[in-house]
Amino acid sequence: MASTLFTAQNITVRFLNTMIFQNLDFTINKGENWALVGESGSGKSALLQTIAGNLNIIGGEVNYHFFDDYLHHNPGNPEHLTYHKLIAMVEARHHFKNLSNTGDFYYQQRYNSMDSEDALTVEQYLHTIKPTPQPNQYWHFDKIITTLKLDKLSHKQLIKLSNGETKRLRIAAALLKIRFYY
C-alpha cells in the first residue's frame, strides 16, 4: 500500500475575488508521478501554488502527511519549522538576484557582457541556499552537482546560463533546500 504524502478534501481556493477551485479532492501518494496538462490559464500553476500553501484555502481540508512523517523521523526540530520549508517549487520564471542584491536580473541580460561582472556564479548561488534543518545526506551538494551536470558550470555567471542550464540550476537549488530522503 502506498504511503500518502498529501490530501485535499473538498477544498475551495480563492485568489482575490476569483474562485479558482471549488470542491476539489485529490491525493498524492509516495512513488506516484504526476503530469499537469491543460490550456494556458486552466489552473495548473494555481494548483501547484495551492499544494505549496501559497494560495488561501477557504474551505475543505488539506493534510501534509509528509510533514508529519518528517517530524516523526526528525524529532527536535525547531518550533518554527513548517511544511513550507519542505516544499521547493521550480517555477517557469527564475528569481535570481545580482551581486548588488537587486532583482532586476533577467535572462536576456546575458547578451549584455558588461552586466556579467555583477552576477553570481553557479557555485556562489548554490551556496546561498539554506537547507531544511537536519538534512539527510542522500542529496548532498556534490551528488546534486554531479547528477545535474553542473560541475563544469560552477564558475559560470548566472547571467550567462542557457535556459536549460538555468532550469537544471533551479532543480539543484530545490534539491538543496529539501535535501532529505523521504
Side-chain angles (χ1 to χ4, degrees):
M1 181 171 163
S3 173
T4 302
L5 298 175
F6 175 88
T7 56
Q9 298 170 322
N10 199 33
I11 64 169
T12 299
V13 178
R14 181 181 301 200
F15 181 71
L16 300 175
N17 291 328
T18 304
M19 189 74 62
I20 299 175
F21 302 113
Q22 198 166 11
N23 303 322
L24 180 64
D25 292 302
F26 66 99
T27 300
I28 300 173
N29 294 307
K30 183 176 181 179
E32 291 180 344
N33 295 300
W34 287 52
L36 295 179
V37 294
E39 298 289 325
S40 179
S42 64
K44 299 178 300 291
S45 294
L47 179 59
L48 293 174
Q49 292 290 346
T50 300
I51 293 170
N54 298 333
L55 292 177
N56 284 337
I57 297 170
I58 59 170
E61 185 177 335
V62 172
N63 291 297
Y64 294 88
H65 304 286
F66 66 87
F67 182 63
D68 297 333
D69 288 346
Y70 179 82
L71 292 176
H72 176 72
H73 291 96
N74 297 282
N77 275 302
E79 288 183 24
H80 65 276
L81 181 67
T82 66
Y83 69 87
H84 291 93
K85 298 219 184 237
L86 300 180
I87 297 175
M89 289 187 55
V90 179
E91 300 179 62
R93 290 186 144 172
H94 63 76
H95 301 286
F96 299 133
K97 294 188 179 207
N98 57 19
L99 289 172
S100 304
N101 202 30
T102 60
D104 59 352
F105 186 74
Y106 58 96
Y107 170 75
Q108 288 82 2
Q109 282 180 320
R110 73 184 178 140
Y111 297 108
N112 212 354
S113 61
M114 66 185 169
D115 289 337
S116 68
E117 296 305 316
D118 193 29
L120 291 170
T121 64
V122 167
E123 186 173 11
Q124 289 170 326
Y125 172 72
L126 290 174
H127 284 296
T128 67
I129 307 301
K130 293 177 178 31
T132 299
Q134 298 180 339
N136 182 294
Q137 295 306 308
Y138 183 80
W139 281 114
H140 57 82
F141 187 85
D142 291 335
K143 181 174 183 163
I144 292 169
I145 296 300
T146 303
T147 302
L148 294 173
K149 298 179 176 40
L150 293 172
D151 42 350
K152 292 184 175 124
L153 301 175
S154 65
H155 297 294
K156 193 172 184 180
Q157 283 99 2
L158 300 180
I159 204 167
K160 294 181 179 180
L161 297 177
S162 70
N163 274 336
E165 292 167 340
T166 299
K167 285 190 185 353
R168 289 196 332 252
L169 175 63
R170 292 175 44 233
I171 291 169
L175 288 171
L176 283 170
K177 177 184 174 197
I178 58 168
R179 61 181 174 182
F180 68 94
Y181 186 69
Y182 190 83

